[in-house]
Amino acid sequence: MPGRSEPDDHALGRSRGGLSTKVHLASDSRARPLSIHVTAGQAGDAPAFEAVMARIRIPRRGLGRPRTRPAIVLADRAYSSRAIRGHLRRRGIRAVIPQPADQIGHRLRRGRAGGRPPGFDAETYKERNAVERCIARLKQWRGLAMRTDKLAIAYQAALHLAAILIWAQR
């Protein structure tokens, strides 16, 4: 029906290409998923950031509770906001996130009041390809790549199953 929106539990959103879903995830350096969050396709990346970070559980080699705070976060330009950088700073996590051109322009336009630019380590940022490799590994399952499940809970369950299989491989 035209004008009808999908319920929240479907995690489907309208975009130019039709209905779509966005998978937000964090991965380790070996392209294994650490946390997964599903939203509607038109949803922004930044609002889902804290949900993804809250779900991270980094297993320890020996005994003990899993770590919930990574040492470093490598993210793309979509995650470059004061709120996200502040969240990471409060938790003592180093952020390696490039600034988009518009944010650089806004800061420069303000002159001295714009503050200094956030630190960025280009050499460390090259390791961000682990997230892209993780997404590619998840999309090898046709049902995940094509989003054949209607309910988001079923789609997220399939993502978790694929993540378990990825962790079991290595």
Side-chain angles (χ1 to χ4, degrees):
M1 296 175 109
R4 184 178 150 226
S5 65
E6 289 289 324
D8 290 338
D9 64 343
H10 289 195
L12 289 168
R14 294 250 175 231
S15 65
R16 280 196 236 164
L19 291 174
S20 63
T21 301
K22 192 178 284 189
V23 177
H24 308 271
L25 65 87
S27 76
D28 66 0
S29 60
R30 293 173 57 188
R32 298 177 300 189
L34 295 173
S35 71
I36 299 171
H37 182 66
V38 178
T39 61
Q42 81 278 8
D45 291 329
F49 180 79
E50 287 191 31
V52 171
M53 291 298 292
R55 293 179 180 162
I56 290 179
R57 300 290 180 268
I58 302 168
R60 296 189 187 270
R61 291 183 188 263
L63 297 175
R65 294 186 327 224
R67 288 182 25 221
T68 59
R69 189 174 65 199
I72 187 169
V73 168
L74 306 171
D76 64 5
R77 286 179 169 83
Y79 296 96
S80 178
S81 71
R82 283 187 182 164
I84 288 175
R85 289 180 191 277
H87 173 77
L88 294 173
R89 197 175 306 113
R90 282 189 303 277
R91 293 191 64 201
I93 301 170
R94 187 172 150 228
V96 179
I97 306 170
Q99 266 194 311
D102 65 330
Q103 284 182 4
I104 294 170
H106 295 316
R107 185 176 40 75
L108 293 176
R109 206 171 9 265
R110 295 186 67 203
R112 289 181 67 175
R116 68 171 193 235
F120 178 71
D121 184 0
E123 200 58 37
T124 303
Y125 187 70
K126 291 178 182 177
E127 297 174 22
R128 201 187 77 76
N129 69 53
V131 175
E132 303 302 333
R133 290 193 334 260
C134 179
I135 292 168
R137 290 172 81 183
L138 287 171
K139 285 188 175 182
Q140 289 193 1
W141 279 271
R142 184 179 301 162
L144 294 177
M146 297 178 66
R147 175 66 199 262
T148 55
D149 297 307
K150 179 157 181 140
L151 294 179
I153 194 164
Y155 184 65
Q156 194 153 4
L159 282 166
H160 286 286
L161 179 61
I164 290 168
L165 292 174
I166 288 171
W167 273 87
Q169 286 176 352
R170 293 184 183 186

